[in-house]
Amino acid sequence: KQEVTQIPAALSVPEGENLVLNCSFTDSAIYNLQWFRQDPGKGLTSLLLIQSSQREQTSGRLNASLDKSSGRSTLYIAASQPGDSATYLCAVRDNYGQNFVFGPGTRLSVLP
Amino acid sequence: EAQVTQNPRYLITVTGKKLTVTCSQNMNHEYMSWYRQDPGLGLRQIYYSMNVEVTDKGDVPEGYKVSRKEKRNFPLILESPSPNQTSLYFCASSSKTEDRGLYEQYFGPGTRLTVT
């Protein structure tokens, strides 16, 4: 059964720092991987989607990479801002069905 | 505006009183799903639907029912709610889009359910 983990569980950084969030999954037979942002008490906002055949995706200050063979993805945030403070979730869709498995999230605080 | 809507956003009910949480999307997506989010357990899939009249169980389907009679709607039904179903519920939809990527999921704003 697919399991997704995220490290660290929480992260606090000063404004302006570049940072990396990690996501690991146990079964490499994935269809795609998606990174989300969730603000407290709110829904999920899609940040980046990487297909299994891709190595990375970029959107503005965000860059997500995927190494399917090792079961890892990273989300790189450049020049962090207080507005980036949120919980970041990764999720994988597997090849066997339409299950979508989420990691527990990384809670990010960017201090002014 | 492309969106997924859920109603109600907040609901407090009592054990055993049947309830329905509605979900609707205006993007003509084939795939829809329901999740619950609990502290320490993260987001877990309850049910999903590949298309009209096609539904399947996710990881935590016990105590829930769904139906997909129309493409845009995917209601979640709790026939006899219990306190352990107190949670934050999310509906999501996705479709195969060549420009944005295959099966990118879009989420509703969430429904906070409390069962006493």
Side-chain angles (χ1 to χ4, degrees), chain B:
Chain B
E1 178 190 355
Q3 60 183 356
V4 179
T5 57
Q6 295 179 226
N7 283 292
R9 294 289 315 281
Y10 303 91
L11 179 60
I12 301 174
T13 189
V14 296
T15 299
K17 186 177 181 181
K18 180 179 178 180
L19 66 92
T20 299
V21 184
T22 64
C23 173
S24 183
Q25 50 92 6
N26 62 1
M27 295 169 278
N28 201 36
H29 285 170
E30 294 84 10
Y31 179 89
M32 298 184 74
S33 60
W34 276 102
Y35 299 87
R36 61 179 289 175
Q37 186 175 34
D38 302 288
L41 296 175
L43 273 146
R44 294 176 292 169
Q45 193 172 43
I46 304 171
Y47 268 95
Y48 61 89
S49 170
M50 292 297 293
N51 214 324
V52 176
E53 302 291 2
V54 181
T55 63
D56 210 342
K57 297 177 181 179
D59 293 323
V60 288
E62 296 77 19
Y64 304 94
K65 286 176 56 178
V66 293
S67 69
R68 188 89 182 273
K69 297 188 188 324
E70 304 168 280
K71 197 173 187 180
R72 64 182 292 124
N73 297 321
F74 190 44
L76 180 69
I77 303 158
L78 284 73
E79 294 271 4
S80 182
S82 61
N84 64 13
Q85 293 178 298
T86 293
S87 187
L88 180 58
Y89 291 86
F90 289 102
C91 179
S93 72
S94 66
S95 186
K96 187 174 180 177
T97 57
E98 295 297 332
D99 57 340
R100 289 297 305 278
L102 302 176
Y103 296 114
E104 181 174 11
Q105 287 212 88
Y106 297 86
F107 279 75
T111 294
R112 187 167 293 282
L113 172 66
T114 302
V115 184
T116 62

